[in-house]
Amino acid sequence: MTALRTSAAGALQGTLREMYAPADHPAAPPVVATLGVYDVLDEANDPEAAARPAATVHLGPAHAVVGPFRAQPTDPCGHCLALRWQRLRPEYERQALELGTGTEAVDAWPLLLPTAVEALWQLYLAAVAAEPPADRRLGAAWVWALELETLHIRRFPLIPDPLCPGCGGEGTEPRTGELSAAPKPAPDTYRARTTDSFALPEDALVNPVCGILGPRTFHTITSPTTAPVTGRVMIKGHYGLAEMTFSGQDNSFRASRDLAFFEGLERYTGIARRHRAAPLLAAYNDIRDQALDPRTCGTYSDLTYELDDACDPFDPARPIPWVWGRELTMGRDVLVPRRLVYYGGETSDDNFVFDSSNGCASGGTLAEAILFGLLELIERDSFVLGWYGGATLTEIDVSTVADPELRMMLDRAALQGYDVHLFDNRIDLPVPAVTGLAVRRDRGPGTLSFAAAASLDPHAALRGAVSEILTYLPELPRRFRDREEEVRAMPADYFRVRQLRDHPALFSLPEMLPHVERYTSPARTLPFAEVYADWQRARPRTTDVRADVTLVTDALAAAGHEVIVVEQTSPEQRGLGVHTVATIVPGLLPLDFGWARQRARHMPRMFSAYRRAGLRDTDLTPADLIPIPHPFP
């Protein structure tokens, strides 16, 4: 089939060049490459890799794509198009291209009728003379997709791909430098810009030919609680191809769309490094003077490493990939295992843990991204510490909160048959961390739904937790019914809780209610103002996000933790004025998924935090920990 496909592309190139007359067309003659024949993500096994950058016509199974035409060296090339096109293919196509063993053709491919060839030629002429895109922030160039069966034409902006061997070069690894001034409009505002002010280019981020984040987004117009916008694309992960989803949940589809794009870009750059510079490959023993010991971020139990074929214990003598980060307190550069920074690792050479997007965040400035990354780490540390430590949390009397938006959100939950409880989940850190719990009144499927949030503004933490809950409620009963038999087996064997979706699924069962009695029947309930009176008096009101970052890092340092930041920002994000980081706080409890992969249950902080907070006279012991998987969604 390969020979036939290649001959089809060659025949098309010959036909188009016969139509080409240099005297009439000053642009270069068309160069044809294929799409869907070779795995372009593996350039070593792509026979067309050397020719792709110059390609201006791309022949696929159902479409021909014209462009890009490079006006300057920074413009995207034909290889950029091929990379982005392949990443958008459905799973079965990518499986065939990237993991398949070859196929055989039954006839010539594709069938190119004379009308299609003529249409393609006329499109080529028009494309050569087309105006450049109006928005040049991302260095975009136009490409045109011709549907071979219907001759329907659509135009899309193509953004240069930083991993392109033709355009990306070797690249440079971004380094986190000193934080510059990050002014904000008001002391109680923590983002300097609104999401809509970034004017994110929707047609470049999502389109079916070369979208960065996927072929399209989905608007759930039937949702009774929020206006969700979601998207998805296949990525290479620990176990081959996996679906990367992103979403935005707000009170309008426009606002949700912008939030979805920010989350999508954040995950796009957090799943894999978006530059071609090779990471440092070294054993920890050889670089320990300038490297983070990953064991301080937690490890699995010995039994997990013994029984789980997917992971191996950390070996300080084994070379693994490292990337550069910066330790903020001392202001020094430090090497960090790639596995703790990019959570979509494609190789098994550093499989001592399987991390997630914990602590990855975006912002309009570097300081803003760091602040929100640290707040996420605190939110999840507090939740895990409260759950496994069996904390008796103070419920916040929501009737005392003067926040009409929050009241509206709670009313939406009530209309779905749920009562929402909100708790102050601070243990030993002063930053407001809120846990939310929705309880279905009739105790039907989807009985319980947890969420959490942290913010320097307690009102924002409350709204964040409730907003998360509202995103899950409409789907809880359906998700339970879709896998009812599987979920009902979990309480008898918690090792059936293996992945993220299993944790909330377990707590969709009514029989889990007795295990959350400390939440549903709290020991005390206090007014909002009383709960956070100490924090409101102590926290500074500044107009520079750097001061807010210092506030949080000082609080973490007081608890014995350093803060490391790794810059993840991709070239696409940089062009939009967005920064993304991975924040790492060794010793803070990570949020893991799968009952066999709970690092928090083996870390020193799990046992000492309650004593240091003055809540106990002694450390917890392993026997004191709640022996039930956490319910974080």
Side-chain angles (χ1 to χ4, degrees):
M1 190 171 185
T2 296
L4 286 170
R5 287 176 171 177
T6 304
S7 65
L12 175 62
Q13 178 168 296
T15 301
L16 293 177
R17 291 197 173 195
E18 288 176 4
M19 297 176 172
Y20 175 80
D24 301 327
H25 310 295
V31 176
V32 180
T34 60
L35 296 173
V37 181
Y38 306 112
D39 178 11
V40 301
L41 302 182
D42 182 5
E43 57 196 83
N45 291 316
D46 176 13
E48 297 184 39
R52 288 193 189 280
T56 50
V57 175
H58 310 263
L59 182 61
H63 296 79
V65 182
V66 175
F69 298 94
R70 304 184 74 188
Q72 49 194 15
T74 55
D75 287 349
C77 71
H79 211 145
C80 294
L81 172 66
L83 291 170
R84 295 207 185 277
W85 184 89
Q86 183 169 318
R87 294 194 196 105
L88 296 184
R89 295 312 96 202
E91 182 176 9
Y92 67 88
E93 287 189 37
R94 289 195 60 179
Q95 292 280 7
L97 283 172
E98 299 166 34
L99 305 174
T101 57
T103 55
E104 293 183 3
V106 296
D107 204 343
W109 173 98
L111 179 61
L112 285 172
L113 298 177
T115 52
V117 175
E118 177 62 27
L120 182 58
W121 173 243
Q122 295 300 325
L123 175 60
Y124 182 84
L125 295 180
V128 168
E131 294 293 327
D135 185 349
R136 295 288 294 173
R137 290 177 298 167
L138 298 177
W142 290 121
V143 296
W144 291 259
L146 171 69
E147 189 174 326
L148 296 175
E149 183 177 356
T150 66
L151 304 186
H152 181 230
I153 297 171
R154 289 183 292 175
R155 183 178 72 170
F156 304 103
L158 168 68
I159 306 302
D161 192 304
L163 298 182
C164 175
C167 299
E170 289 307 309
T172 56
E173 183 173 345
R175 294 283 191 99
T176 305
E178 296 291 334
L179 295 187
S180 58
K184 55 182 185 175
D188 288 340
T189 300
Y190 299 100
R191 290 199 182 274
R193 297 174 59 183
T194 59
T195 54
D196 60 351
S197 70
F198 287 88
L200 299 178
E202 180 175 10
D203 54 351
L205 296 178
V206 287
N207 73 65
V209 171
C210 53
I212 297 174
L213 300 181
R216 58 169 295 187
T217 54
F218 305 87
H219 292 58
T220 307
I221 60 175
T222 57
S223 172
T225 56
T226 60
V229 174
T230 59
R232 60 181 67 96
V233 69
M234 301 303 300
I235 55 100
K236 281 187 175 179
H238 307 305
Y239 307 109
L241 292 174
E243 188 175 73
M244 182 195 84
T245 61
F246 56 92
S247 66
Q249 313 276 350
D250 209 307
N251 295 322
S252 74
F253 287 114
R254 179 176 292 278
S256 294
R257 181 203 63 182
D258 288 341
L259 291 173
F261 288 159
F262 272 99
E263 181 171 88
L265 286 169
E266 180 185 302
R267 292 185 177 180
Y268 165 80
T269 197
I271 280 175
R273 301 164 78 240
R274 299 297 172 180
H275 52 85
R276 290 175 59 82
L280 173 68
L281 190 65
Y284 173 72
N285 284 344
D286 296 331
I287 57 172
R288 61 192 315 145
D289 291 342
Q290 54 182 335
L292 168 69
D293 185 342
R295 290 168 291 193
T296 62
C297 295
T299 60
Y300 303 138
S301 69
D302 293 340
L303 182 62
T304 294
Y305 288 117
E306 180 181 342
L307 300 179
D308 192 334
D309 294 336
C311 55
D312 297 303
F314 176 70
D315 180 356
R318 178 186 183 184
I320 63 172
W322 302 79
V323 296
W324 283 103
R326 188 167 183 83
E327 198 278 310
L328 293 188
T329 305
M330 302 297 294
R332 63 185 181 94
D333 290 339
V334 61
L335 285 164
V336 181
R338 180 187 63 179
R339 177 66 72 179
L340 298 180
V341 178
Y342 297 99
Y343 49 92
E346 301 176 16
T347 63
S348 59
D349 51 3
D350 54 356
N351 61 342
F352 48 88
V353 296
F354 296 99
D355 218 329
S356 64
S357 61
N358 291 332
C360 295
S362 298
T365 63
L366 180 62
E368 187 179 303
I370 293 171
L371 174 64
F372 282 89
L374 293 176
L375 289 173
E376 182 174 276
L377 289 179
I378 291 172
E379 162 205 315
R380 297 178 176 194
D381 167 87
S382 299
F383 187 92
V384 172
L385 194 57
W387 176 262
Y388 287 129
T392 302
L393 303 179
T394 298
E395 183 170 9
I396 300 165
D397 184 353
V398 293
S399 69
T400 65
V401 182
D403 186 341
E405 182 180 355
L406 179 65
R407 297 301 315 171
M408 177 182 64
M409 296 165 73
L410 295 173
D411 288 344
R412 290 180 189 170
L415 287 171
Q416 297 302 302
Y418 285 86
D419 294 318
V420 176
H421 304 267
L422 298 170
F423 303 89
D424 176 22
N425 204 147
R426 291 177 293 177
I427 303 298
D428 64 333
L429 296 173
V431 176
V434 172
T435 287
L437 168 62
V439 183
R440 182 167 168 171
R441 296 191 202 101
D442 65 2
R443 305 305 192 251
T447 305
L448 302 165
S449 179
F450 281 84
S455 175
L456 300 185
D457 176 7
H459 286 94
L462 291 177
R463 287 194 300 270
V466 176
S467 179
E468 285 290 311
I469 286 175
L470 291 182
T471 67
Y472 308 129
L473 294 188
E475 293 294 311
L476 284 178
R478 180 190 62 79
R479 290 179 179 176
F480 172 78
R481 289 191 296 268
D482 287 347
R483 50 193 303 232
E484 180 173 354
E485 182 178 353
E486 179 186 356
V487 173
R488 289 197 181 279
M490 290 179 183
D493 180 7
Y494 290 140
F495 286 100
R496 294 177 181 269
V497 177
R498 299 187 179 98
Q499 53 186 313
L500 186 155
R501 66 174 187 157
D502 295 339
H503 287 262
L506 171 64
F507 288 86
S508 66
L509 292 167
E511 50 261 48
M512 297 305 293
L513 271 166
H515 300 299
V516 300
E517 187 174 356
R518 68 184 192 273
Y519 295 93
T520 55
S521 301
R524 65 174 184 169
T525 301
L526 295 177
F528 171 78
E530 185 174 342
V531 172
Y532 291 108
D534 56 341
W535 171 256
Q536 298 285 33
R537 286 192 299 267
R539 71 178 174 119
R541 265 77 171 181
T542 72
T543 55
D544 191 332
V545 181
R546 289 181 304 177
D548 300 321
V549 171
T550 299
L551 171 68
V552 176
T553 56
D554 287 349
L556 290 166
H561 303 288
E562 64 178 352
V563 172
I564 298 172
V565 175
V566 180
E567 178 97 26
Q568 294 178 322
T569 308
S570 70
E572 299 96 330
Q573 290 175 314
R574 192 171 292 111
L576 294 170
V578 177
H579 295 260
T580 297
V581 299
T583 54
I584 300 166
V585 180
L588 220 59
L589 301 186
L591 182 73
D592 288 319
F593 299 101
W595 183 230
R597 295 178 176 175
Q598 295 296 303
R599 286 175 286 169
R601 294 177 62 85
H602 313 287
M603 295 176 67
R605 175 169 169 75
M606 183 76 254
F607 304 102
S608 65
Y610 284 80
R611 173 185 52 78
R612 289 187 292 99
L615 301 175
R616 287 175 57 101
D617 295 330
T618 60
D619 283 356
L620 293 171
T621 68
D624 294 322
L625 301 187
I626 302 297
I628 302 169
H630 68 73
F632 195 94

